[in-house]
Amino acid sequence: FCEWQEVAAANDLSCSSGLLVEAFTSGIVVSRSNTPEQRICVKFDARKDSRELCVNVLPREIVPQLPKRFGGLRVGQEVAASQELMFGGVVGVHFGVRGRIVGPHLPDRIEVRFEWRADGSHGTVSVQPF
């Protein structure tokens, strides 16, 4: 991650006093923290405690925001399967099933976690946006 890079929280971020930042909240990398854990200082768009302070996160706690070439799609945005998604001849996700973008995957694909999968899996699916 580099300074001024757009990111999103990969999961809910909590501290000893409770929920601090909800999953998929957008933010900007401000700097690297001077901590042994190699934390990254991020200014999130919103915090649950309504404070305006930056949050020091581990690299695994954030994901890069989608580049502009994805037509304005954002990490955390709700989407739906635009067709039956097939995996080896078996329907994995039915047309119309809703999901949430969890991050980029390869140069031209996005990772989506669907609410329900016909194949019984709970993993994300790499799809092409359009």
Side-chain angles (χ1 to χ4, degrees):
F1 294 100
C2 59
E3 290 180 1
W4 302 111
Q5 182 177 359
E6 291 185 64
V7 296
N11 299 292
D12 286 344
L13 302 177
S14 299
C15 63
S16 59
S17 60
L19 181 62
L20 193 59
V21 177
E22 287 185 328
F24 309 118
T25 300
S26 293
I28 298 286
V29 173
V30 176
S31 66
R32 289 216 171 260
S33 298
N34 293 326
T35 62
E37 302 92 11
Q38 300 299 312
R39 290 184 177 264
I40 299 168
C41 182
V42 177
K43 173 67 171 86
F44 286 100
D45 293 350
R47 285 178 48 153
K48 294 305 288 180
D49 61 3
S50 300
R51 297 179 77 182
E52 293 293 325
L53 301 172
C54 293
V55 179
N56 289 325
V57 300
L58 294 170
R60 70 173 182 270
E61 295 176 316
I62 56 176
V63 295
Q65 194 50 268
L66 295 177
K68 296 190 187 319
R69 71 176 178 272
F70 287 105
L73 293 173
R74 307 285 287 171
V75 170
Q77 184 174 342
E78 286 190 11
V79 294
S82 62
Q83 62 187 26
E84 301 279 301
L85 302 178
M86 307 293 290
F87 308 124
V90 176
V91 175
V93 179
H94 286 293
F95 167 78
V97 172
R98 292 184 300 184
R100 188 173 296 270
I101 298 171
V102 297
H105 183 258
L106 303 174
D108 62 344
R109 300 177 77 83
I110 57 175
E111 286 287 325
V112 176
R113 184 176 315 284
F114 287 97
E115 292 177 352
W116 182 79
R117 287 189 50 176
D119 62 359
S121 176
H122 299 287
T124 59
V125 178
S126 174
V127 299
Q128 290 182 312
F130 59 91

